[in-house]
């Protein structure tokens, strides 16, 4: 009997980096993402998010906007200005559905916007859309 059946398959699930300073929020987001079939890595603030984005090269980054130290908009601008991370799509996650917050997130280079409270199906649909668009651009 071949031992190939026991070989470990490379993990093809896309890795998503979650940058969120509120532990309850990041737990909820991670649960939803894992249920959606993604691998997840969490950063607890913007600086850690920047470090992990550079080190892990995730398929997508979800970032809270209001965080101590490096906020989500500055994090996004920094990632977009670095050729090494510029192509990683960033989705902003915020409690504010205000039009000006949406505009500043897009101006900073975010690919889109997720508003809290997060609803499971639209959230996963938005992520799938952004990943599809990113793949299409790379092809
Ligand atoms: Mn926050």
């Amino acid at each position: 009997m071949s031992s190939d059946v026991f070989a470990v398959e490379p993990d093809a699930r896309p890795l998503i980096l979650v940058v969120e300073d509120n532990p309850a929020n990041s737990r909820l987001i991670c649960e939803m993402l894992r249920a959606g079939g993604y691998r997840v890595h969490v950063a607890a603030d913007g600086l850690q998010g920047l470090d992990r984005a550079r080190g892990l090269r995730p398929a997508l980054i979800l970032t809270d906007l209001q965080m101590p130290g490096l906020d989500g908009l500055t994090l996004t601008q920094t990632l977009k200005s670095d050729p090494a991370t510029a192509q990683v799509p960033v989705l902003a996650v915020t409690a504010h559905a205000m039009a000006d917050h949406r505009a500043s997130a897009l101006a900073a280079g975010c690919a889109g916007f997720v508003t809290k409270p997060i609803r499971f199906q639209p959230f996963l649909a938005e992520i799938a859309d952004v990943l599809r668009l990113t793949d299409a651009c790379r092809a």
Side-chain angles (χ1 to χ4, degrees):
M1 185 174 160
S2 166
S3 62
D4 287 353
V5 290
F6 300 114
V8 176
E9 294 289 331
D11 196 337
R13 293 174 301 154
L15 175 65
I16 296 183
L17 174 63
V18 176
V19 189
E20 165 66 81
D21 65 316
N22 179 312
N25 284 343
S26 82
R27 257 196 310 277
L28 177 67
I29 290 169
C30 289
E31 274 177 32
M32 288 187 183
L33 291 174
R34 291 200 183 96
Y38 297 102
R39 287 183 295 141
V40 183
H41 187 95
V42 177
D45 58 43
L47 271 181
Q48 199 178 70
L50 185 60
D51 179 70
R52 301 298 187 272
R54 287 171 169 160
L56 297 171
R57 302 296 172 85
L60 183 145
I61 297 168
L62 280 166
T63 185
D64 182 28
L65 290 185
Q66 286 162 316
M67 295 182 288
L70 196 66
D71 65 83
L73 292 182
T74 310
L75 169 64
T76 304
Q77 286 161 347
T78 308
L79 291 169
K80 292 298 160 183
S81 65
D82 181 349
T85 51
Q87 73 282 8
V88 181
V90 180
L91 282 177
V93 183
T94 178
H96 304 282
M98 307 288 289
D100 60 327
H101 287 118
R102 183 181 289 264
S104 32
L106 296 177
C110 290
F113 201 91
V114 176
T115 304
K116 299 174 201 166
I118 296 170
R119 294 182 303 135
F120 185 68
Q121 293 296 350
F123 177 57
L124 288 182
E126 173 74 10
I127 287 170
D129 278 352
V130 171
L131 287 175
R132 254 196 307 276
L133 277 173
T134 309
D135 283 348
C137 291
R138 282 174 184 164

